Amino acid sequence: EVVLTQSPGTLSVSPGERATLSCRASQTVTNNDLAWYQQKRGQAPRLLIYGASSRAAGIPERFSGSGSGTDFTLTISGLESEDFAVYYCQQYGGSLFTFGQGTKLEI
Amino acid sequence: EVQLVESGGGLVQPGGSLRLSCEASGFDFNPYSMNWVRQAPGKGPEWLAYISGSSNTIYYAGSVRGRFTISRDNAKNSVFLEMYSLRDEDTAVYYCARRTRMIRGVISFYSMDVWGQGTTVTVSS
C-alpha cells in the first residue's frame, strides 16, 4: 500500500501570499495518479486537482499542482480568505485509493 | 443538481451492525463506480470500499474486509454499506463518493468528484 505523507502539518500564511503544500509517497505513484482535495469544517472533501496537475471543473486558476514519481506539490497563489481549510492528497493505484493525513492552512 | 445523500448512521454498541444508504440524484447513476470513505475525528479520509456500475467488481480496504459489504441497487440509484462486528475505531463520518475517470492523452486518472454530506457512525457502549 502506498503511504502518503503531507507536510507541513499546519501552514500559517496571510491572504494574498502563496502557499506551498507537499505530499510525498512511500513508492512511485502509478501514472502520477495523484489528486488534491480541499475540506472545510463540517463539509465533505472537494476535488481540486487530478492527475497531479489538472484542475477539476470550476477550480480557480490560483490552484496548481505539480510533481511526479513520489513528490508532489499543491500551490495556491494569491490566497483568499475562503482558501483557509485542510488539504489532502490522494493517490490511486492497484484499484485502491489512499489519502494523506492533511495539511491545515491557517491565517 | 448532482447530489449524493447518505443516511443510516447512528449510535451502535461494539459488536453491533449498521446499514448505510446513499441515494444519488441529478446524474445517470448506472455507469458510475461508487465508493465509501470514512473520516474519523481529526483524521484524514480513509477509503473503505469500491463497487463498479454493474456490481461486477468490488474492492475493500484491508481494515474492513470481511466485516463490511458494499452493494448497490441501480433501479433505486442507491449504494449501500453493511457493517458488522463494529469496533470503537469504526467511529467516523461515513461518506459515499462518485468515482470519476479523467483522461489526459492515453492515461486515465481516477478520483472522487462528487461526495455526499456524510452520516455519522458512533460505536460506543
Side-chain angles (χ1 to χ4, degrees):
Chain A
E1 177 182 313
V2 177
V3 176
L4 300 177
T5 302
Q6 293 186 240
S7 61
T10 302
L11 182 61
S12 298
V13 291
S14 299
E17 294 184 340
R18 176 164 59 189
T20 303
L21 288 65
S22 174
C23 176
R24 177 163 290 179
S26 60
Q27 55 190 279
T28 298
V29 175
T30 304
N31 293 327
N32 295 321
D33 199 348
L34 192 288
W36 289 93
Y37 296 82
Q38 176 193 68
Q39 187 176 34
K40 296 181 179 178
R41 184 180 297 274
Q43 297 184 15
R46 172 195 180 198
L47 178 65
L48 300 175
I49 301 287
Y50 66 89
S53 60
S54 296
R55 275 186 300 277
I59 301 304
E61 290 185 3
R62 65 181 181 273
F63 291 91
S64 63
S66 63
S68 64
T70 60
D71 290 292
F72 300 88
T73 300
L74 174 69
T75 301
I76 313 170
S77 303
L79 278 162
E80 299 190 4
S81 57
E82 65 202 47
D83 300 334
F84 292 92
V86 181
Y87 292 82
Y88 296 98
C89 55
Q90 165 251 295
Q91 72 86 36
Y92 182 83
S95 302
L96 306 178
F97 290 97
T98 55
F99 289 86
Q101 85 282 10
T103 290
K104 181 180 180 181
L105 194 60
E106 64 176 25
I107 299 175
Chain B
E1 180 190 4
V2 173
Q3 199 172 7
L4 298 171
V5 178
E6 301 95 337
S7 60
L11 175 64
V12 61
Q13 291 188 337
S17 303
L18 212 55
R19 186 187 196 226
L20 306 183
S21 300
C22 168
E23 184 171 359
S25 59
F27 65 98
D28 183 6
F29 181 70
N30 289 16
Y32 282 94
S33 301
M34 298 296 295
N35 296 273
W36 284 96
V37 177
R38 71 183 177 188
Q39 189 168 27
K43 303 292 187 182
E46 177 189 13
W47 170 81
L48 299 178
Y50 160 94
I51 186 167
S52 63
S54 61
S55 302
N56 284 348
T57 303
I58 289 174
Y59 299 114
Y60 296 99
S63 59
V64 302
R65 189 177 298 117
R67 296 191 302 124
F68 290 11
T69 300
I70 189 172
S71 61
R72 65 190 290 161
D73 183 340
N74 287 344
K76 296 181 178 179
N77 288 347
S78 295
V79 60
F80 309 99
L81 187 68
E82 297 196 71
M83 306 184 294
Y84 306 94
S85 303
L86 285 162
R87 308 165 179 166
D88 290 352
E89 55 264 35
D90 295 318
T91 294
V93 176
Y94 285 71
Y95 298 98
C96 63
R98 185 177 80 173
R99 192 188 81 164
T100 188
R101 176 191 178 200
M102 306 297 287
I103 300 173
R104 192 169 69 212
V106 297
I107 299 174
S108 294
F109 300 102
Y110 298 93
S111 55
M112 291 177 261
D113 67 336
V114 180
W115 296 63
Q117 84 290 351
T119 187
T120 300
V121 173
T122 303
V123 184
S124 175
S125 54

